[in-house]
Structure formats: C-alpha cells, structure tokens
Amino acid sequence: MPEIQLGAHTVKSHGVKVARTHMHDWLILLLLIVIEVILNVIEPFHRFVGEDMMTDLRYPMKDNTVPFWAVPILAILLPFIVILVYYFIRRDVYDLHHAILGLLFSVLITGVITDAIKDAVGRPRPDFFWRCFPDGKGVFDPVTKDVMCTGLKSVIKEGHKSFPSGHTSWSFAGLGFLALYLSGKIRVFDRRGHVAKLCIVFLPLLIAALVGISRVDDYWHHWQDVFAGGLLGITVASFCYLQFFPAPYEVDGWGPHAYFQMVAESQNVNPSNAVNGSNVEESDLEGGHERELSRVNTHDSSPILEGMNGTMRY
C-alpha cells in the first residue's frame, strides 16, 4: 500500500493537525481537571455515625501500602510508557494521540465520578473512630448519640470518603485501559490459542487488583468500596477505549478508528491504489464485503506484531 507507509504519519509531520482536530477534547480534559480539584476541596457529606456503630469502625490507622503519589504512576505513567514504546515501533501519530487521549479521559472521568460519589455518600472509613477520637476517648451527642469528633478537621474530612475506593477506581481505569490496548496490539483474540498473550493482558489487571486489596488490608476501605471502585474503573475504561479503538476481538482491533478513516479517505483520493495486488490475498477477496476490502490494505505490519503472529491471515 504505497500511500500508507509506516512512519508517514508521525508527531512531527501530523501531530499538530491531529491535536487541532481534537482541540475540544483537550479542553474538556482541562474542565475535568478543574472539576476534580473542586470535588477534593469541598466538604463531603457527614453521615450520621452513632455510638453503637463504632464497633465496625475501630480498625487501627495505618499508612498506605500504595501511597497516593504512586497511583498516577501506575494508572497514567505506566500505560503512557507502553503507548510511547509502541509509537516508536510503528510511528503512527493517530495511535499515539488517541491512546493518550483515551487513557486521560478514562482516568479523569473515573476520578470525577469517584469523588462525586465520595462527597455525596460520606461513608466513614473502617478507621473512622481513631480519626474522630485520636486520644481514644469517644464523645457523643447526649441526645442523638452522633459523634462529636475531637480530631483534626482534615483527617476527619478524609474519614468520610470511604465509598468508593479512589485508589482502586483509578488503577482499574488506567491499567484496565492498558489491558484493552495490549489486547488489540498483540491480537489476543486471533483464535490461535496463545495463552501467553492472555498472561500479558491480565498482568495490568492483577496490579490493579492488588492495589484494591491493599486498601482493605490498610483499613482505609471496606471491601464493598474496593469492589465498586474496580467495577467503576474498568467500565469507564471500556467505554473510553471503544470510543477511539475497535473492540480487541475484531480483525481491525490493532488500530484506532481514525487511522482506518484516514486510509479510507486516501483510497477515495487515489482509487487506483484502493486494492493493491501485493497486499490482498485471495481468501480476503472471497467474502466480497466492502468493509473487509477497506481493511485488508491496513493490516498492521509492525515488528512487534509480526513476531507474535507470523503471517497475518484472517
């Protein structure tokens, strides 16, 4: 396919054009960041916590096994590195741009939904007693028996943000997106039965799951908080991924929608190059479907996929 060559659409040659096309999406990302900051500043709902409810909220206060600063590294930086490595292999700015955009949308939308629910629900954390009464002496309203906290305001505020788990939702949003991204790139669902590919895809999900488990072990969250956070993160990640990429089990799951659209437009401009004899196999022509024909000339030919799939016949 002479009109579509690897390295023909790089950051240097087409990066500005692609970014301008999605300028409104980047502006929405900035808006999501502002909303996220506001949600972390406002005071969450202070749910009634009676004296008899403290039995399940007396777990000791512990440091975070996975600190707050480590979550963006796992959920954003790690997937970004993988996406960047693939760009240097294939040199496709469409894949790079849409993968980064989808990843950021996945994490930020998840963050906004998570913190909005946290503030609205105001569920106390398992270690709420020690946050509320650091000296161990409980003080309660004589009439309602509601807590009358004597601890630091900032610590108490954080104690009302148990549901859902932010660590878990962010981890599943970023690493879940990475798992879907890898599924398409290494063609997990190519029906060849390579279980090793599944191990590669499940690794990010395992890391996210371990982050969630650490939140229960540290007594920062109830198990329901972690379950809800994981479900929220992976759901948003799936929607954001499918916004920019075909489903991983599809023949064209290795590339973004924008790439195939660009190929189709270029073939309309150069109809003589629409079907290249050297790239179209007889088995691909037998179906006679226009959609299949438009995709045949766009089979990925990057080295990383050649090594894992051998000849690319579908």
Side-chain angles (χ1 to χ4, degrees), residues 149-216:
C149 295
T150 58
L152 293 176
K153 185 177 180 180
S154 59
V155 177
I156 298 171
K157 175 183 176 181
E158 191 63 32
H160 283 280
K161 293 185 175 184
S162 186
F163 183 88
S165 169
H167 273 60
T168 308
S169 64
W170 269 55
S171 297
F172 272 95
L175 295 174
F177 187 93
L178 176 60
L180 291 168
Y181 183 81
L182 290 173
S183 296
K185 294 299 177 287
I186 64 178
R187 294 189 174 98
V188 172
F189 305 103
D190 60 0
R191 301 181 182 180
R192 296 171 184 263
H194 297 303
V195 180
K197 292 183 178 182
L198 287 177
C199 295
I200 295 175
V201 172
F202 285 145
L203 182 58
L205 299 178
L206 174 61
I207 296 174
L210 291 175
V211 172
I213 293 172
S214 73
R215 305 307 289 162
V216 178

Side-chain angles (χ1 to χ4, degrees), residues 214-292:
S214 73
R215 305 307 289 162
V216 178
D217 292 345
D218 294 339
Y219 307 124
W220 277 67
H221 288 284
H222 310 273
W223 71 266
Q224 299 95 330
D225 309 333
V226 171
F227 180 82
L231 183 61
L232 173 61
I234 196 66
T235 300
V236 175
S238 300
F239 275 99
C240 291
Y241 180 82
L242 295 176
Q243 183 73 13
F244 296 99
F245 294 85
Y249 54 79
E250 293 187 5
V251 173
D252 303 317
W254 57 268
H257 294 302
Y259 175 81
F260 299 118
Q261 183 179 1
M262 178 269 298
V263 172
E265 291 174 353
S266 68
Q267 290 177 347
N268 290 333
V269 175
N270 302 290
S272 62
N273 292 327
V275 178
N276 189 321
S278 62
N279 292 315
V280 180
E281 302 180 13
E282 293 183 2
S283 60
D284 295 317
L285 294 176
E286 289 178 357
H289 298 294
E290 291 186 6
R291 181 177 179 276
E292 289 301 321

Side-chain angles (χ1 to χ4, degrees), residues 288-303:
H289 298 294
E290 291 186 6
R291 181 177 179 276
E292 289 301 321
L293 287 174
S294 68
R295 302 301 201 195
V296 165
N297 284 337
T298 63
H299 280 323
D300 190 16
S301 57
S302 63

